[in-house]
């Protein structure tokens, strides 16, 4: 019954995303590459939403699995907090370490996808990746990928070591890196580098947004001409535009 419930609840939630799956399965390409990542725009429209959904689903499933097996191991006596010495049997430790390693690998994939999600940011002045996202958040995510992979390795090495020192080190390093690099550092760059000279810093990314908008509306090849505006109106000028005025 527990297994059926664990499978049914996330399964029902995933079934409601059939439109996302159809777009992923049958979506095509636009023939235009994103200027930041060099991938076709179709990836962001058709592929990325489904891949992000799968990553979130798998990570949530592993988290629920970790909690459930921990409770079951505690109930059958394989995990004992009241005794001294080894409080977790070797097989249980190996099982939990493997699940933690898988969670770290999935999170590394999540960080990899979050890089592309920067191009979909909603901003006050313009949409897409700006100076802070490209120069602070993106490098932070790339480093977090390495940290997650390193943590996965420590979880696997922990199978043959006594205690839980390595997992604690991995989690602590992961948390500190996430808070500092993904939270504090981008906020610092935005506050002290971008905000004092926002137009100068954001100008290349605003230009990207303008070019993408023109391409999407089909007016990228429209030629523009300067209009010499003269506020003075004379009878001669009015008569010269009589054909337009009569309309």
């Amino acid at each position: 019954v527990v297994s059926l419930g664990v499978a049914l609840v996330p399964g029902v939630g995933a079934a409601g995303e059939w439109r996302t799956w159809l777009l992923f399965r049958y979506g095509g390409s636009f023939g235009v590459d994103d200027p930041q990542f060099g991938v076709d725009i179709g990836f962001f429209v058709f592929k990325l939403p489904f891949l992000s959904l799968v990553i979130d689903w798998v990570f949530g499933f592993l988290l629920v699995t970790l909690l459930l097996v921990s409770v079951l191991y505690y109930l059958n006596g394989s995990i004992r907090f009241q005794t001294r010495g080894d409080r977790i049997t070797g097989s249980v430790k190996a099982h939990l370490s493997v699940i933690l390693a898988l969670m770290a690998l999935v999170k590394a994939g999540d960080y990899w996808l979050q890089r592309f999600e920067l191009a979909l940011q909603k901003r006050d002045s313009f949409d897409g990746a700006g100076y802070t996202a490209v120069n602070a958040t993106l490098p932070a995510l790339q480093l977090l990928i390495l940290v997650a992979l390193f943590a996965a390795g420590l979880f696997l090495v922990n199978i043959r070591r006594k205690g839980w020192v390595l997992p604690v080190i991995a989690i602590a390093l992961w948390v500190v890196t996430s808070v500092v690099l993904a939270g504090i550092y981008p906020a610092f760059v935005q506050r002290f580098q971008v905000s004092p000279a926002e137009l100068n810093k954001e100008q290349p990314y605003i230009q990207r947004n303008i070019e993408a908008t023109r391409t999407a509306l089909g007016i990228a090849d429209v030629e523009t001409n300067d209009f010499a505006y003269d506020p003075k109106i004379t009878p001669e000028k009015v008569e010269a535009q009589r054909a337009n005025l009569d309309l």
Side-chain angles (χ1 to χ4, degrees):
V1 174
V2 174
S3 300
L4 180 61
V6 172
L8 186 61
V9 172
V12 171
E17 298 293 339
W18 59 271
R19 293 182 181 86
T20 306
W21 157 250
L22 290 178
L23 290 174
F24 173 82
R25 177 65 179 83
Y26 299 104
S29 61
F30 288 86
V32 179
D33 291 341
D34 174 74
Q36 180 61 42
F37 299 101
V39 298
D40 190 271
I41 301 299
F43 172 80
F44 298 90
V45 177
F46 304 118
K47 308 298 183 183
L48 183 58
F50 179 76
L51 294 176
S52 299
L53 178 67
V54 170
I55 287 291
D56 292 340
W57 189 91
V58 173
F59 186 84
F61 180 79
L62 290 173
L63 179 60
V64 172
T65 301
L66 178 66
L67 296 176
L68 286 178
V69 297
S70 299
V71 172
L72 293 176
Y73 282 137
Y74 177 78
L75 294 177
N76 67 18
S78 298
I79 298 178
R80 303 177 300 274
F81 295 111
Q82 296 83 4
T83 61
R84 295 182 179 180
D86 294 335
R87 299 181 178 182
I88 301 178
T89 62
S91 59
V92 173
K93 181 181 179 182
H95 190 189
L96 297 180
S97 296
V98 169
I99 295 177
L100 289 171
L102 291 175
M103 292 178 65
L105 291 176
V106 172
K107 195 61 181 176
D110 184 35
Y111 289 139
W112 185 77
L113 292 178
Q114 286 183 35
R115 296 163 56 250
F116 299 104
E117 291 174 354
L118 294 176
L120 305 177
Q121 286 183 333
K122 298 293 184 180
R123 302 164 57 87
D124 294 335
S125 54
F126 65 96
D127 295 337
Y131 182 91
T132 301
V134 173
N135 295 278
T137 306
L138 182 58
L141 290 173
Q142 293 171 336
L143 182 57
L144 284 173
I145 293 174
L146 299 178
V147 173
L149 295 175
F150 179 70
L154 290 182
F155 289 138
L156 294 178
V157 172
N158 184 65
I159 295 175
R160 296 187 176 276
R161 293 178 60 90
K162 292 184 177 181
W164 290 84
V165 176
L166 290 182
V168 171
I169 293 176
I171 294 175
L173 176 63
W174 199 344
V175 171
V176 172
T177 305
S178 299
V179 172
V180 175
L181 293 183
I184 298 178
Y185 178 60
F188 178 86
V189 171
Q190 180 66 32
R191 175 65 179 84
F192 295 101
Q193 293 188 23
V194 178
S195 295
E198 188 168 4
L199 181 60
N200 181 48
K201 295 291 186 181
E202 300 287 16
Q203 184 174 1
Y205 308 100
I206 295 175
Q207 185 62 36
R208 285 182 180 180
N209 185 274
I210 295 174
E211 293 175 357
T213 302
R214 290 170 59 88
T215 301
L217 295 177
I219 58 175
D221 297 329
V222 173
E223 296 183 1
T224 60
N225 296 309
D226 294 333
F227 175 74
Y229 170 69
D230 186 358
K232 296 180 180 180
I233 299 178
T234 62
E236 291 77 12
K237 292 181 180 180
V238 173
E239 291 298 326
Q241 300 296 328
R242 177 58 61 185
N244 294 328
L245 295 175
D246 291 339
L247 295 177

